[in-house]
Structures are given as C-alpha cells and as structure tokens.
Amino acid sequence: MTVAGIAYLELYAEDAHKYAAQLRDDWGFTLSSPARNSPGTVQVLAHQGSIRLLVTSAVDAEHQVTEWVRRHGDGVAVIALRHTDGVAAAVAAERALNAGGGCLDGAGTVSGFGDLAVRFADAQDPLPDGELPGPGGLLSLDHVAIVVPGGQLDASVEWAVRGLGFREIFREYIEVGAQAMDSRVVQSPCGSVTFTLLEPDTSRSAGQIDGFLEAHGGAGVQHVAFSTVSITASVRELSDRGVAFLSTPGAYYRALEARLGPTGIPVADLHDTNVLVDRDHGGELFQIFARSTHPRRTFFLELVERRGAGSFGTANIKALYEAVERERAVTADH
C-alpha cells in the first residue's frame, strides 16, 4: 500500500454546525453536506483548495463522538488517508493493525496515536481536487502535528513506518529554557502526507507539550498547517475576518537580516504581519500560528508558505514557544 494523500480530517465537535460556521466565517471555507452521514451524527464538510475538513457531532449523548468530545474537547479525531495500488481499505487497515495499531471497526479505521484514529478511505473525495482557494487563500494541508506522551515517540514513529509505509525524514531535540521536547517527522513516500510527532522530555521542567497532554487527555493533534498562496495576503485577509495570530517580538525582525540576509518577502512585510521565516538548502519557509480558540487552549492552526524549503522551521520553534508563553502569561494575569 502507498499512501497518496489525506482524503480529509474528521473533527469531532460538540456542535458541528457552529464549528463549521466558524471555519466558513473566519477561515473562508465553503460548506457542503457530505454524500452520506454516519448514523447518529450531524456532519458538515468544509472545503477550500484541496483541504477537506469533515466536522461531526452526535445527536445522542451516549454516542462515541460525544464521549470523545467529553474526553478531549473539539478537535481532530480521524485522519482519513487515500491510498493507491488497488489495496482495499480493510487490507491497508490489517497492515496497520499488524504493526501495532488498535482495531476500531471493520471498515478500515484503526487507532494509531492514542484516541487519534487513522482511516483508510476506499472512495475518492466527492469534491474535485482542483477547487480554488477561498478568501483565505488556503491551498492544501502542509502537515499535521501530533503530540504523544513521554516515552512513546519511538513506538509512534515505528508504527507510522511499519503500519503506514511512511519514512522518517527529520529529527530534532529542542530546548526552550528549562523545558525540552523531541521532534521527529515522518512522511509518505510521495511526500503528500507529513506528520510531525512531538514528545516532551519528562526529565526537564514541564512545558507546553506536557500542558497539551494534560489538557487534551492524552495523545492528539496539536495543530494543523495549511499551505497558502501568499502568506502575508492570507494573514491580512484572515485577520480582517477575525482570526487572531500570535505576535512576535520586534527583536526577531531586527536580527533577521543579520541571521538570514535578504528574504523573499521583505522584512517590513514580515514584521507587519508577524510572519516567521526560516531557510534550508532548498529555499525559504514562511509560517505563522493562529491563537488557539479552543476552550482548553490545545488545538490551533498554522499557515505556511514554502518557497522551495522542505524543512519545518526549526529555528522558529523557539520563537513560537516564546510567543505561546507570553500568551499564557497574559491569560494567567487575567
């Protein structure tokens, strides 16, 4: 089996219509009814570019979706993968199960990272992949960041490699003050699906990754990154629509030219929009993180514009952590 892409992300929510309306109003998604609804649920499909977000809520207080939301709050519950080679979903799921996944149903859905499930989708997406970006200028899913408890990163990477056919492309140990984390990136062979897997270093002071695990109730998706046509244009448009992004200290931009030299987007525009930039051998990566609107401050979204870069902004992770720490400090003061 070869993974060909993400068919959709399924988000479980307390109120699917309310959550989908926020994606439409704030992020510029178009909303549609899915071809069919899962029994006992309300579902709305949000789409833009090649991004498909299936938002699901339950009509029954005893439904598994209700129980998932009770444990974790609204968030990504299922990553649905397209696959090639004519392999049926059940066969792909069996491979994932044999590699250590947990069985969730007989229709190609397995547990992969705690309560985060992976589904192998037989059918093609009912909407064309060539859909144009919406007002937010969003093109596709760049990567999904998944947090796992301390001590589970090696097993999680191994499962992605053996069970999904991914390959590990990057690893990094990141220290921010007294806290630290391990980061490893796995990717499908064709490069269309990328998971950034994060684990706290439990020998160091507890930090944001530990906070996510506690608030979320175990492993799960910390953030989803969308690629954009023009990140500065997207930030301005989405900000006007009500999306709040994390700010970055002016000192970051004052030191930028000395660190990187001239950048593809002028530093003044980056500063004005709070966009971060990193560079690798392939080119430049521009990124920004939206402020979490989740009641538990767990799940958030990211914007990415790649100009040849294949990396994930390692030099910017510390800047992100510092920005989130400032936000947490302000929240605590209030």
Side-chain angles (χ1 to χ4, degrees):
M1 177 205 58
T2 301
V3 171
I6 293 179
Y8 57 88
L9 300 179
E10 185 170 3
L11 294 90
Y12 288 173
E14 185 175 0
D15 185 331
H17 287 298
K18 181 179 179 181
Y19 198 106
Q22 185 178 21
L23 290 172
R24 178 196 62 206
D25 297 342
D26 293 357
W27 292 89
F29 281 85
T30 299
L31 305 184
S32 301
S33 297
R36 59 184 181 275
N37 274 31
S38 296
T41 68
V42 174
Q43 294 185 295
V44 182
L45 185 65
H47 44 97
Q48 180 174 176
S50 65
I51 304 164
R52 306 288 180 263
L53 305 177
L54 180 64
V55 187
T56 300
S57 60
V59 298
D60 186 338
E62 303 304 317
H63 196 281
Q64 63 177 9
V65 171
T66 306
E67 176 57 29
W68 195 98
V69 172
R70 188 178 297 121
R71 287 197 304 270
H72 306 297
D74 297 352
V76 178
V78 182
I79 300 173
L81 299 176
R82 283 204 189 96
H83 51 90
T84 59
D85 308 333
V87 176
V91 176
E94 184 177 1
R95 170 181 172 172
L97 288 171
N98 290 338
C103 182
L104 291 181
D105 63 27
T109 304
V110 301
S111 61
F113 310 97
D115 286 344
L116 174 63
V118 173
R119 178 176 298 145
F120 299 94
D122 272 332
Q124 289 294 310
D125 193 308
L127 292 172
D129 283 336
E131 183 179 350
L132 295 174
L138 308 183
L139 287 170
S140 61
L141 290 168
D142 185 86
H143 65 272
V144 178
I146 302 167
V147 174
V148 300
Q152 294 187 16
L153 184 58
D154 287 345
S156 297
V157 171
E158 182 180 1
W159 184 77
V161 171
R162 292 180 55 233
L164 304 180
F166 285 20
R167 57 194 173 90
E168 185 176 350
I169 63 169
F170 183 77
R171 62 171 62 191
E172 183 82 7
Y173 181 76
I174 301 157
E175 296 180 86
V176 183
Q179 56 185 279
M181 70 174 184
D182 275 305
S183 172
R184 294 168 70 178
V185 179
V186 295
Q187 190 174 75
S188 61
C190 64
S192 60
V193 183
T194 304
F195 296 159
T196 301
L197 300 172
L198 308 168
E199 170 193 73
D201 183 342
T202 55
S203 70
R204 306 287 294 270
S205 297
Q208 292 168 40
I209 301 301
D210 307 86
F212 172 92
L213 291 165
E214 181 178 359
H216 180 76
V221 173
Q222 181 209 44
H223 72 267
V224 173
F226 300 136
S227 66
T228 69
V229 178
S230 166
I231 192 167
T232 52
S234 290
V235 169
R236 291 185 173 109
E237 169 64 26
L238 295 172
S239 296
D240 288 343
R241 298 174 73 93
V243 176
F245 293 95
L246 296 183
S247 60
T248 302
Y252 172 89
Y253 299 99
R254 289 192 292 273
L256 200 54
E257 189 169 355
R259 180 166 69 90
L260 294 180
T263 54
I265 299 175
V267 172
D269 289 340
L270 297 176
H271 192 182
D272 183 56
T273 53
N274 285 293
V275 169
L276 307 172
V277 59
D278 199 9
R279 183 179 290 146
D280 63 17
H281 63 277
E284 292 178 324
L285 168 74
F286 301 92
Q287 61 188 150
I288 190 170
F289 302 87
R291 183 171 287 115
S292 176
T293 59
H294 197 289
R296 304 187 190 189
R297 292 295 185 265
T298 46
F299 180 65
F300 59 92
L301 298 173
E302 176 187 2
L303 299 183
V304 167
E305 181 184 342
R306 294 186 182 275
R307 298 191 179 185
S311 59
F312 294 87
T314 302
N316 290 328
I317 291 177
K318 185 173 182 179
L320 164 65
Y321 266 60
E322 290 171 343
V324 174
E325 287 298 325
R326 289 194 300 275
E327 182 186 17
R328 291 175 66 185
V330 169
T331 302
D333 289 342
H334 291 81

